Amino acid sequence: AAIAEARAQVELADREEWPAPVVGVQLAREGAARENAASYVMLGTLAVTLPIWQRNQGERARARVDEEVARVEESASGRALRVRIARAHAELSYATQRVALFASSVAPSLEDSLALLRRGFDAGELPLLTVAVARERFLDAQRDALDSYADYYRALADLELAMGVELPAAT
């Protein structure tokens, strides 16, 4: 839109470059008021503003510069958008790998370890302190997993914002 507006300003400035001649016609009657043999005089005028060929140069140059600035800004914003999309995609890829790693290897082993600890405690082989410390570590791992999921959804939202479309979540 900015480029179209700047182009319209250039066209307007170019139209105002040309002189705008004014044509005039005047009709006059000469002679006595009651005389039938009066003469009529027609006078034509052509007015042209000065200077004739060097008009509106400053406005034309400013309009052309504004158009070029709009084009450069469009190009720069396109490059910035591509960088934002690439960065958001990289962050989403990293977050997806973290979530997949946790879901495939860390979570199952933590659940198995917690079940074994519970059985060992129930059998009286492990003291309460060992079970409590292990549960705390399990909760820390769950918090880290939640952080991974939060990072994943934040990266997905950033990529959606950069691209302007809604993407399906891969959970």
Side-chain angles (χ1 to χ4, degrees), residues 105-118:
S105 63
V106 176
S109 66
L110 283 176
E111 290 175 9
D112 292 342
S113 297
L114 187 60
L116 289 174
L117 281 172
R118 191 174 298 131

Side-chain angles (χ1 to χ4, degrees), residues 58-123:
E59 182 64 24
R60 289 173 46 220
R62 186 197 59 76
R64 283 190 171 76
V65 167
D66 289 346
E67 180 183 20
E68 186 60 29
V69 166
R71 288 184 196 282
V72 168
E73 286 176 349
E74 178 193 35
S75 175
S77 66
R79 285 191 301 273
L81 179 61
R82 285 191 294 275
V83 167
R84 277 184 56 204
I85 289 172
R87 180 179 297 134
H89 181 266
E91 289 173 4
L92 181 63
S93 177
Y94 172 69
T96 302
Q97 290 174 359
R98 280 183 57 196
V99 166
L101 177 66
F102 179 80
S104 67
S105 63
V106 176
S109 66
L110 283 176
E111 290 175 9
D112 292 342
S113 297
L114 187 60
L116 289 174
L117 281 172
R118 191 174 298 131
R119 283 187 17 210
F121 178 73
D122 290 341

